Amino acid sequence: ECMQIGTAGFTAAQCIMHLEHNGVLPDGGPVLVTGATGGVATVAILLLHQLGYEVIAATGKAGEHAYLHALGATTILDRQELANSGEKHLLPVRWAGVVDTVGGYILATAIKRTGFNGVVTCCGNAASGDLPLTVYPFILRGVHLIGVYSANCPMAKRLVIWDKLAKEWRLDGLDRVTRTVPLAQVDNEVVAMLGGRSKGRLVVDLEDIE
């Protein structure tokens, strides 16, 4: 179960902890999750749904809408709707919080659509490491942008997050987002991942290693 969660799930839990700590609660409005079929995002959707949030999932994979609904997403958004929003400094409010895994124009547009005192967590750069944005979402709506990292996360914080995942945040649907493959198939899985054809979490079975 720990391996099903992995670093990606730990990162997702960190993002949600930041949302809650900064005042984004289930009754405050929906939460957008970008890169919705990825390892971080699928766990984030599961956990947000379990905690009572309305989830908007953004993806470019039209064939995965049923999968995302099954995980708990209420609304599916085509990622093209989050594409380059050009010179506009702000856009109409659509969500209270964001778990972003992709960066670039998608993150910029997500921030522009975040409501007053909303929280945007950023933990990835699958689309781009750039952030084409002005300061207006921050100084006119009080949006909080919080970076999330896992590699050097302090031990005290790790213990808090893993304790939550073992108790009140223990996930019911991990089997729905996880596949187990032998080590010999990892190369094929990497090719699929780089080609944008993977989804969810992958656990590598090492039992056949001598």
Side-chain angles (χ1 to χ4, degrees):
E1 191 172 330
C2 288
M3 291 302 97
Q4 287 179 299
I5 295 169
T7 301
F10 176 81
T11 300
Q14 272 202 85
C15 290
I16 295 166
M17 188 174 74
H18 282 297
L19 293 179
E20 292 197 339
H21 179 73
N22 287 279
V24 177
L25 301 174
D27 60 356
V31 173
L32 171 71
V33 179
T34 66
T37 61
V40 173
T42 50
V43 177
I45 292 169
L46 276 177
L47 183 53
L48 285 165
H49 175 67
Q50 190 167 303
L51 294 174
Y53 287 86
E54 177 187 348
V55 181
I56 299 175
T59 183
K61 299 177 181 176
E64 300 294 351
H65 289 197
Y67 170 71
L68 293 171
H69 280 304
L71 297 184
T74 304
T75 304
I76 310 297
L77 195 66
D78 190 296
R79 68 183 175 203
Q80 289 303 314
E81 296 186 48
L82 295 171
N84 189 350
S85 52
E87 300 298 320
K88 295 181 179 179
H89 299 318
L90 290 170
L91 294 168
V93 171
R94 186 152 184 194
W95 35 74
V98 179
V99 175
D100 177 72
T101 69
V102 297
Y105 282 110
I106 290 174
L107 173 57
T109 303
I111 291 171
K112 294 176 185 180
R113 285 191 172 276
T114 301
F116 291 91
N117 296 310
V119 178
V120 178
T121 58
C122 170
C123 64
N125 62 344
S128 173
D130 295 330
L131 183 56
L133 193 65
T134 68
V135 299
Y136 291 105
F138 309 111
I139 64 173
L140 295 181
R141 287 184 181 160
V143 173
H144 305 265
L145 177 59
I146 299 175
V148 174
Y149 65 103
S150 291
N152 296 307
C153 181
M155 181 55 70
K157 188 176 181 181
R158 286 182 186 276
L159 292 173
V160 169
I161 293 169
W162 279 111
D163 187 66
K164 290 176 79 70
L165 287 168
K167 296 176 182 175
E168 68 263 34
W169 283 9
R170 189 164 186 177
L171 290 161
D172 296 327
L174 281 174
D175 289 340
R176 286 182 282 159
V177 300
T178 308
R179 291 185 300 115
T180 301
V181 300
L183 183 61
Q185 291 184 21
V186 167
D187 286 350
N188 293 334
E189 297 294 340
V190 170
V191 171
M193 187 179 297
L194 293 175
R197 300 188 302 277
S198 64
K199 66 180 181 182
R201 305 281 298 120
L202 193 69
V203 175
V204 180
D205 185 357
L206 302 178
E207 286 187 357
D208 59 345
I209 301 300
E210 296 181 357

